[in-house]
Amino acid sequence: MTEKKGRPSDRPPEDLKKERDAFIQQFFRKGAQLTEELLRENERLRDKITELESENGKLRAHLASDSAIRDLLRKIEELEQEKRDLVTQSVRMVAASDRFNSRYSEAEGELANLANLYVALSQLHAARNVRHVLRNLKELLAQFLGAGAFSVYLASPDGKELVSIASEGVAVDEIARMPVTEGVVGQAFSKGEIFFDETKDVSKGSIEDPAAVIPLDFNGRTVGVIAIFSTLPQKTEFVNVDTELFKLLGAQAAPALINARLFTDAGRKVPGVQAFLDLED
């Protein structure tokens, strides 16, 4: 039985070898192509990785920059808060300093006022005759109260008139005697109350409308007055220390005058110890 022509098995070995070589070549060519594609893809992926790493580095740097900025902003806020605290503390310290300075000024003023009162009291009682007492009294009125026109009165023996025993800045005949029942001076004497008007310019006072009237007290009885008719032009009002000086003069001027008179009458001699011992009886 004979085989048919043209079957593969009937092909010569050379043809099979060619087909095999062609297959192998095609296989390796496909493999080479695939390898090249894989290498290109790998290269592309490497480039992509490099790009991503670069972007990642940029992001890290950006994040680090943002973190630094946040830290800086937080530090700025802390400094601003510290500044506000310091400003608040400074304001409190300034307020405390102002209060201290104000209190210090008040204390300094009070000490000055006390010094003035002490000087006034010392001058009144330092004199040993009436003339010196009146001279010191005039100086006190002019220097401490700014009196420009004034008169010192004592009541007459019958108590109906006020008689001027010393004056300054006014004509003596105009103020020599005053009835105790007339005018502001008489009212201040009768009531035993200090008079002065806080609302008016005391430098513009007059005999009829005096700037101030100070009753003189001795042992609970009004024995005279000091009438300040007007003050010097620069002295337009009386202040707190002036009212304290009014009180001091009202309480001390009359005893100083009377004591000086009695001391003169006693021949300017200091009584012996027995005179004081006799007071116990």
PDB file of all heavy atoms in Angstrom, residues 4 37 42 65 71 94-95 116 126 182 202 214 216 222 227 242-243 248 263:
ATOM      1  N   LYS A   4       0.333   8.752   0.451  1.00  0.00           N
ATOM      2  CA  LYS A   4       0.015   9.876  -0.406  1.00  0.00           C
ATOM      3  C   LYS A   4       1.070  10.925  -0.295  1.00  0.00           C
ATOM      4  O   LYS A   4       1.673  11.139   0.726  1.00  0.00           O
ATOM      5  CB  LYS A   4      -1.351  10.475  -0.026  1.00  0.00           C
ATOM      6  CG  LYS A   4      -2.484   9.497  -0.274  1.00  0.00           C
ATOM      7  CD  LYS A   4      -3.808  10.162   0.080  1.00  0.00           C
ATOM      8  CE  LYS A   4      -4.980   9.218  -0.168  1.00  0.00           C
ATOM      9  NZ  LYS A   4      -6.255   9.805   0.159  1.00  0.00           N
ATOM     10  N   GLU A  37      10.374  45.614  25.637  1.00  0.00           N
ATOM     11  CA  GLU A  37       9.213  46.346  26.177  1.00  0.00           C
ATOM     12  C   GLU A  37       9.270  46.391  27.701  1.00  0.00           C
ATOM     13  O   GLU A  37       8.975  47.420  28.323  1.00  0.00           O
ATOM     14  CB  GLU A  37       7.922  45.680  25.715  1.00  0.00           C
ATOM     15  CG  GLU A  37       7.660  45.859  24.222  1.00  0.00           C
ATOM     16  CD  GLU A  37       6.405  45.130  23.773  1.00  0.00           C
ATOM     17  OE1 GLU A  37       5.758  44.476  24.648  1.00  0.00           O
ATOM     18  OE2 GLU A  37       6.051  45.201  22.588  1.00  0.00           O
ATOM     19  N   ASN A  42      10.287  49.211  32.470  1.00  0.00           N
ATOM     20  CA  ASN A  42      11.060  49.326  33.703  1.00  0.00           C
ATOM     21  C   ASN A  42      11.760  50.681  33.790  1.00  0.00           C
ATOM     22  O   ASN A  42      11.789  51.317  34.851  1.00  0.00           O
ATOM     23  CB  ASN A  42      12.077  48.180  33.771  1.00  0.00           C
ATOM     24  CG  ASN A  42      12.836  48.165  35.095  1.00  0.00           C
ATOM     25  OD1 ASN A  42      12.219  48.154  36.156  1.00  0.00           O
ATOM     26  ND2 ASN A  42      14.165  48.189  35.037  1.00  0.00           N
ATOM     27  N   SER A  65       8.550  73.005  55.773  1.00  0.00           N
ATOM     28  CA  SER A  65       8.400  74.464  55.756  1.00  0.00           C
ATOM     29  C   SER A  65       7.117  74.875  56.450  1.00  0.00           C
ATOM     30  O   SER A  65       7.097  75.818  57.250  1.00  0.00           O
ATOM     31  CB  SER A  65       8.415  74.966  54.312  1.00  0.00           C
ATOM     32  OG  SER A  65       8.188  76.360  54.266  1.00  0.00           O
ATOM     33  N   ASP A  71       5.331  76.508  63.605  1.00  0.00           N
ATOM     34  CA  ASP A  71       6.119  76.750  64.826  1.00  0.00           C
ATOM     35  C   ASP A  71       6.404  78.232  65.002  1.00  0.00           C
ATOM     36  O   ASP A  71       6.336  78.768  66.123  1.00  0.00           O
ATOM     37  CB  ASP A  71       7.439  75.973  64.770  1.00  0.00           C
ATOM     38  CG  ASP A  71       7.227  74.470  64.863  1.00  0.00           C
ATOM     39  OD1 ASP A  71       6.134  74.065  65.324  1.00  0.00           O
ATOM     40  OD2 ASP A  71       8.140  73.724  64.472  1.00  0.00           O
ATOM     41  N   VAL A  94       2.192 101.240  86.440  1.00  0.00           N
ATOM     42  CA  VAL A  94       2.059 102.695  86.277  1.00  0.00           C
ATOM     43  C   VAL A  94       0.944 103.222  87.164  1.00  0.00           C
ATOM     44  O   VAL A  94       1.079 104.271  87.813  1.00  0.00           O
ATOM     45  CB  VAL A  94       1.788 103.039  84.793  1.00  0.00           C
ATOM     46  CG1 VAL A  94       1.369 104.498  84.650  1.00  0.00           C
ATOM     47  CG2 VAL A  94       3.031 102.783  83.964  1.00  0.00           C
ATOM     48  N   ALA A  95      -0.195 102.468  87.201  1.00  0.00           N
ATOM     49  CA  ALA A  95      -1.311 102.893  88.052  1.00  0.00           C
ATOM     50  C   ALA A  95      -0.894 102.887  89.523  1.00  0.00           C
ATOM     51  O   ALA A  95      -1.207 103.817  90.275  1.00  0.00           O
ATOM     52  CB  ALA A  95      -2.511 101.963  87.838  1.00  0.00           C
ATOM     53  N   ASN A 116       3.522 124.369 108.649  1.00  0.00           N
ATOM     54  CA  ASN A 116       3.026 125.752 108.686  1.00  0.00           C
ATOM     55  C   ASN A 116       2.251 126.027 109.975  1.00  0.00           C
ATOM     56  O   ASN A 116       2.411 127.083 110.600  1.00  0.00           O
ATOM     57  CB  ASN A 116       2.123 126.014 107.473  1.00  0.00           C
ATOM     58  CG  ASN A 116       2.914 126.095 106.182  1.00  0.00           C
ATOM     59  OD1 ASN A 116       4.119 126.331 106.203  1.00  0.00           O
ATOM     60  ND2 ASN A 116       2.246 125.904 105.056  1.00  0.00           N
ATOM     61  N   ALA A 126       5.629 132.371 121.164  1.00  0.00           N
ATOM     62  CA  ALA A 126       7.027 132.685 121.463  1.00  0.00           C
ATOM     63  C   ALA A 126       7.182 134.112 121.985  1.00  0.00           C
ATOM     64  O   ALA A 126       8.119 134.410 122.734  1.00  0.00           O
ATOM     65  CB  ALA A 126       7.890 132.491 120.221  1.00  0.00           C
ATOM     66  N   GLU A 182     -23.911 144.470 114.016  1.00  0.00           N
ATOM     67  CA  GLU A 182     -24.028 144.874 112.616  1.00  0.00           C
ATOM     68  C   GLU A 182     -22.992 144.171 111.740  1.00  0.00           C
ATOM     69  O   GLU A 182     -21.871 143.901 112.177  1.00  0.00           O
ATOM     70  CB  GLU A 182     -23.853 146.394 112.482  1.00  0.00           C
ATOM     71  CG  GLU A 182     -24.943 147.201 113.154  1.00  0.00           C
ATOM     72  CD  GLU A 182     -24.729 148.691 112.971  1.00  0.00           C
ATOM     73  OE1 GLU A 182     -23.825 149.076 112.186  1.00  0.00           O
ATOM     74  OE2 GLU A 182     -25.457 149.476 113.601  1.00  0.00           O
ATOM     75  N   VAL A 202     -11.770 136.040  96.932  1.00  0.00           N
ATOM     76  CA  VAL A 202     -11.504 136.662  98.227  1.00  0.00           C
ATOM     77  C   VAL A 202     -10.580 137.871  98.119  1.00  0.00           C
ATOM     78  O   VAL A 202     -10.473 138.662  99.058  1.00  0.00           O
ATOM     79  CB  VAL A 202     -10.912 135.634  99.215  1.00  0.00           C
ATOM     80  CG1 VAL A 202     -11.929 134.559  99.536  1.00  0.00           C
ATOM     81  CG2 VAL A 202      -9.638 135.002  98.659  1.00  0.00           C
ATOM     82  N   ILE A 214     -12.713 135.508 111.629  1.00  0.00           N
ATOM     83  CA  ILE A 214     -12.325 134.411 112.523  1.00  0.00           C
ATOM     84  C   ILE A 214     -12.581 134.829 113.971  1.00  0.00           C
ATOM     85  O   ILE A 214     -11.901 135.723 114.492  1.00  0.00           O
ATOM     86  CB  ILE A 214     -10.835 134.079 112.357  1.00  0.00           C
ATOM     87  CG1 ILE A 214     -10.501 133.849 110.875  1.00  0.00           C
ATOM     88  CG2 ILE A 214     -10.440 132.876 113.196  1.00  0.00           C
ATOM     89  CD1 ILE A 214      -9.020 133.905 110.569  1.00  0.00           C
ATOM     90  N   LEU A 216     -12.249 134.912 117.943  1.00  0.00           N
ATOM     91  CA  LEU A 216     -11.154 134.574 118.854  1.00  0.00           C
ATOM     92  C   LEU A 216     -11.736 134.030 120.150  1.00  0.00           C
ATOM     93  O   LEU A 216     -12.492 134.717 120.845  1.00  0.00           O
ATOM     94  CB  LEU A 216     -10.302 135.823 119.129  1.00  0.00           C
ATOM     95  CG  LEU A 216      -9.672 136.470 117.890  1.00  0.00           C
ATOM     96  CD1 LEU A 216      -8.847 137.696 118.287  1.00  0.00           C
ATOM     97  CD2 LEU A 216      -8.816 135.478 117.123  1.00  0.00           C
ATOM     98  N   THR A 222     -16.092 133.965 123.268  1.00  0.00           N
ATOM     99  CA  THR A 222     -15.578 134.764 122.159  1.00  0.00           C
ATOM    100  C   THR A 222     -15.217 136.153 122.681  1.00  0.00           C
ATOM    101  O   THR A 222     -16.075 136.880 123.184  1.00  0.00           O
ATOM    102  CB  THR A 222     -16.620 134.883 121.021  1.00  0.00           C
ATOM    103  OG1 THR A 222     -16.995 133.578 120.582  1.00  0.00           O
ATOM    104  CG2 THR A 222     -16.046 135.661 119.845  1.00  0.00           C
ATOM    105  N   ALA A 227     -10.681 140.059 111.307  1.00  0.00           N
ATOM    106  CA  ALA A 227     -11.424 140.310 110.076  1.00  0.00           C
ATOM    107  C   ALA A 227     -10.442 140.489 108.930  1.00  0.00           C
ATOM    108  O   ALA A 227      -9.650 141.440 108.924  1.00  0.00           O
ATOM    109  CB  ALA A 227     -12.298 141.547 110.228  1.00  0.00           C
ATOM    110  N   ASP A 242      -5.910 126.605 104.705  1.00  0.00           N
ATOM    111  CA  ASP A 242      -6.301 127.924 105.228  1.00  0.00           C
ATOM    112  C   ASP A 242      -7.365 127.786 106.305  1.00  0.00           C
ATOM    113  O   ASP A 242      -7.316 128.474 107.333  1.00  0.00           O
ATOM    114  CB  ASP A 242      -6.826 128.807 104.085  1.00  0.00           C
ATOM    115  CG  ASP A 242      -5.745 129.121 103.061  1.00  0.00           C
ATOM    116  OD1 ASP A 242      -4.569 129.173 103.440  1.00  0.00           O
ATOM    117  OD2 ASP A 242      -6.089 129.308 101.884  1.00  0.00           O
ATOM    118  N   THR A 243      -8.313 126.879 106.077  1.00  0.00           N
ATOM    119  CA  THR A 243      -9.370 126.692 107.084  1.00  0.00           C
ATOM    120  C   THR A 243      -8.794 126.120 108.386  1.00  0.00           C
ATOM    121  O   THR A 243      -9.270 126.446 109.472  1.00  0.00           O
ATOM    122  CB  THR A 243     -10.476 125.774 106.546  1.00  0.00           C
ATOM    123  OG1 THR A 243      -9.918 124.495 106.219  1.00  0.00           O
ATOM    124  CG2 THR A 243     -11.104 126.361 105.284  1.00  0.00           C
ATOM    125  N   LEU A 248      -6.802 127.347 114.039  1.00  0.00           N
ATOM    126  CA  LEU A 248      -5.677 127.519 114.952  1.00  0.00           C
ATOM    127  C   LEU A 248      -5.627 128.948 115.489  1.00  0.00           C
ATOM    128  O   LEU A 248      -5.455 129.169 116.694  1.00  0.00           O
ATOM    129  CB  LEU A 248      -4.372 127.166 114.239  1.00  0.00           C
ATOM    130  CG  LEU A 248      -3.102 127.232 115.091  1.00  0.00           C
ATOM    131  CD1 LEU A 248      -2.149 126.100 114.700  1.00  0.00           C
ATOM    132  CD2 LEU A 248      -2.385 128.566 114.934  1.00  0.00           C
ATOM    133  N   PHE A 263       1.917 138.446 131.388  1.00  0.00           N
ATOM    134  CA  PHE A 263       3.347 138.315 131.649  1.00  0.00           C
ATOM    135  C   PHE A 263       3.992 139.699 131.784  1.00  0.00           C
ATOM    136  O   PHE A 263       4.841 139.928 132.650  1.00  0.00           O
ATOM    137  CB  PHE A 263       4.009 137.527 130.513  1.00  0.00           C
ATOM    138  CG  PHE A 263       5.469 137.261 130.725  1.00  0.00           C
ATOM    139  CD1 PHE A 263       5.907 136.405 131.718  1.00  0.00           C
ATOM    140  CD2 PHE A 263       6.419 137.877 129.910  1.00  0.00           C
ATOM    141  CE1 PHE A 263       7.263 136.165 131.914  1.00  0.00           C
ATOM    142  CE2 PHE A 263       7.772 137.640 130.101  1.00  0.00           C
ATOM    143  CZ  PHE A 263       8.196 136.777 131.101  1.00  0.00           C
TER     144      PHE A 263
END
